[in-house]
Amino acid sequence: MTSKLNILNRTILFTSLMMPLVSYAETTPAPAEIRISWWGGNMRHEATLAAIDAFQKLHPEIKVKAEYSGYDGYLSRLSTQIAGQQEPDVMRIDWNWLPQLSKTGEGFYDLKPLSKKLGLENYGEKYLNMATVAGKLQGIPISMTSRIFLYNQNTWQKVGISYPTNWDQLFEAGKVFQQKLGDKYYPLGVALGAADALDILSLGRAYMTQKYGTDIIDIKEKKLGWDEKQILELFTFYKKLVDSHVIPDQRYFSSHGRANIYEIKPWINGELAGMYLWDSSIYTYANNVVAGTVMEPGPFIQMANEKDSGITTKPSSLFSISKETKFPEQSAMLLEFMLNQEAGIKALGLQNGMPTNQKADKILTDAGIITQDNLLAKSWRAAMAQPVSKAPVSAFMENQELVQLWTNSLQKIDYGKDSVENVAADFERSANRILRRAIK
């Protein structure tokens, strides 16, 4: 299904290339050949290729080789390239990879000396700080992303209840769904598949952070930020979600194979009537439902009178420059064009999410790409209106070993292999060992 936004973005991809291109460089750069890599779907690939093509029309002396793929396997390939000092000059990385790829701020080219060439004045300091390691800027935050609730309006209207605003209403919604529509229907579809492993953990983190005002990870102490009793409460929270018919258990998702949630029939036809997801993924889910379905963001679920939203917000991804590059200035020129110049900004559209670059935000708003009714923009602004969490999320929450431990722990509960109490105790011990190794 192609949304109106996608059609608009496709139009911008081509019309932006017809715009007069005016050089913003004071001098002609030396000839160079640089490589850039990123991951994404077809729409992002088309948009990025269009931006690169526009850049090369402006700077024919700089040849740009594009290397792109899906998300799966991207980090493994990039890590191998970096180990062999064969990585691309410009590369898209996940924010949570910084502890792995740049523990001491030496993993990538420090972008601070390139500040003017990159137009860093158009980015908020708080965003740049999240990409700074040991005083060195290791990447440009392309966009920020937050966890939001996305609902299938059609299914919720069949049930006849409003979207929940507190946790008791969420648990009650599960029971009402089951009573009115049957066992196949659930308010939320969070799962433990490869692309969805953090959905449930993030939902539990929101609940726990609202209640205790602390994050799941204590970086200073190199361990979990919650004690044994609180970790048991986290797993009890999950068990209540399943028992209250708010979400299916892992046996349900296993029956659908290894597909992503947005690819399975229960999501497409509205049996799974909501998701707790990154807003940067909103169109992947919203565009893959039956014709006539209305998808919309819902209110943030919070405890009564709670001023800490527990919201999980982070850079969706970064563009970094290789510390091995022979062409740092030309690489910076490419990034500046894509993220800070009108032709590049319009070519990319919203394929990377809501931009952190203030100039880009204005250009896309003036072009009618960002509007009040835009699904992504509405979700982003709703997230930004939430009380700032007293416990900012740690990049170590997405540590691969920790995520796998979490996944295995919930599967033990769902398949009846162990009690919630034992699983929680084992998780605490194993997670603390993982974090002691990972946090340097």
Side-chain angles (χ1 to χ4, degrees), residues 2 5-7 9-10 13 40-49 287 347-348 351:
T2 302
L5 176 65
N6 286 342
I7 294 172
N9 271 346
R10 286 180 181 276
L13 289 180
N42 289 336
M43 287 295 291
R44 180 181 291 168
H45 297 334
E46 290 178 12
T48 309
L49 290 170
N287 290 345
L348 289 176
Q351 290 306 312

Side-chain angles (χ1 to χ4, degrees), residues 266-310:
W267 171 260
I268 296 170
N269 66 19
E271 292 175 13
L272 300 177
M275 276 296 295
Y276 186 61
L277 76 170
W278 294 116
D279 58 24
S280 54
S281 300
I282 199 166
Y283 289 114
T284 301
Y285 286 82
N287 290 345
N288 207 35
V289 291
V290 296
T293 301
V294 177
M295 304 298 297
E296 60 183 353
F300 281 76
I301 297 177
Q302 293 187 200
M303 296 178 180
N305 302 317
E306 179 53 60
K307 295 182 179 180
D308 188 339
S309 64

Side-chain angles (χ1 to χ4, degrees), residues 192 197-198 201 215-218 223-226 231 234-235 394-410 426-439:
L192 285 177
L198 284 163
L201 183 56
D215 187 30
I216 186 174
I217 295 173
D218 185 333
K223 66 182 185 67
L224 293 174
W226 302 330
I231 292 298
L234 172 67
F235 280 93
S394 164
F396 288 98
M397 182 177 168
E398 298 189 32
N399 175 278
Q400 292 179 324
E401 285 188 80
L402 187 65
V403 172
Q404 190 59 55
L405 174 64
W406 168 255
T407 302
N408 294 341
S409 298
L410 295 199
D426 288 343
F427 177 86
E428 185 198 18
R429 288 191 293 269
S430 298
N432 282 332
R433 284 197 296 269
I434 290 169
L435 293 172
R436 281 194 296 270
R437 292 195 304 268
I439 303 175

Side-chain angles (χ1 to χ4, degrees), residues 234-244 413-414 420:
L234 172 67
F235 280 93
T236 302
F237 171 80
Y238 167 72
K239 189 69 165 61
K240 187 175 180 180
L241 289 172
V242 173
D243 292 346
S244 300
I413 294 173
D414 288 342
V420 173

Side-chain angles (χ1 to χ4, degrees), residues 206-346:
Y207 173 84
M208 296 291 289
T209 301
Q210 287 175 20
K211 187 170 183 179
Y212 296 105
T214 55
D215 187 30
I216 186 174
I217 295 173
D218 185 333
I219 296 180
K220 184 177 294 186
E221 298 296 327
K222 300 180 182 180
K223 66 182 185 67
L224 293 174
W226 302 330
D227 60 26
E228 183 178 356
K229 183 178 179 181
Q230 290 169 324
I231 292 298
L232 175 58
E233 186 175 356
L234 172 67
F235 280 93
T236 302
F237 171 80
Y238 167 72
K239 189 69 165 61
K240 187 175 180 180
L241 289 172
V242 173
D243 292 346
S244 300
H245 203 76
V246 174
I247 62 174
D249 66 15
Q250 302 317 302
R251 293 172 297 179
Y252 171 96
F253 290 107
S254 294
S255 69
H256 293 281
R258 298 176 62 85
N260 294 303
I261 292 181
Y262 59 83
E263 297 174 315
I264 65 177
K265 187 176 179 181
W267 171 260
I268 296 170
N269 66 19
E271 292 175 13
L272 300 177
M275 276 296 295
Y276 186 61
L277 76 170
W278 294 116
D279 58 24
S280 54
S281 300
I282 199 166
Y283 289 114
T284 301
Y285 286 82
N287 290 345
N288 207 35
V289 291
V290 296
T293 301
V294 177
M295 304 298 297
E296 60 183 353
F300 281 76
I301 297 177
Q302 293 187 200
M303 296 178 180
N305 302 317
E306 179 53 60
K307 295 182 179 180
D308 188 339
S309 64
I311 190 170
T312 301
T313 298
K314 66 168 189 174
S316 60
S317 57
L318 314 173
F319 266 133
S320 298
I321 294 178
S322 168
K323 65 178 181 180
E324 304 293 338
T325 184
K326 296 178 181 178
F327 305 106
E329 292 194 5
Q330 291 89 339
S331 297
M333 288 175 62
L334 173 61
L335 286 182
E336 200 276 343
F337 178 84
M338 293 171 64
L339 304 177
N340 208 52
Q341 293 296 314
E342 185 169 0
I345 290 166
K346 286 186 174 181

Side-chain angles (χ1 to χ4, degrees), residues 151-159 163 291-295:
Y151 292 120
N152 184 315
Q153 183 192 91
N154 302 56
T155 302
W156 281 82
Q157 286 182 345
K158 289 180 183 178
V159 178
Y163 302 138
T293 301
V294 177
M295 304 298 297

Side-chain angles (χ1 to χ4, degrees), residues 59-60 81 84 297 313 352 355 369 392 409:
H59 289 294
Q81 290 175 324
T313 298
N352 292 312
I369 296 175
S409 298

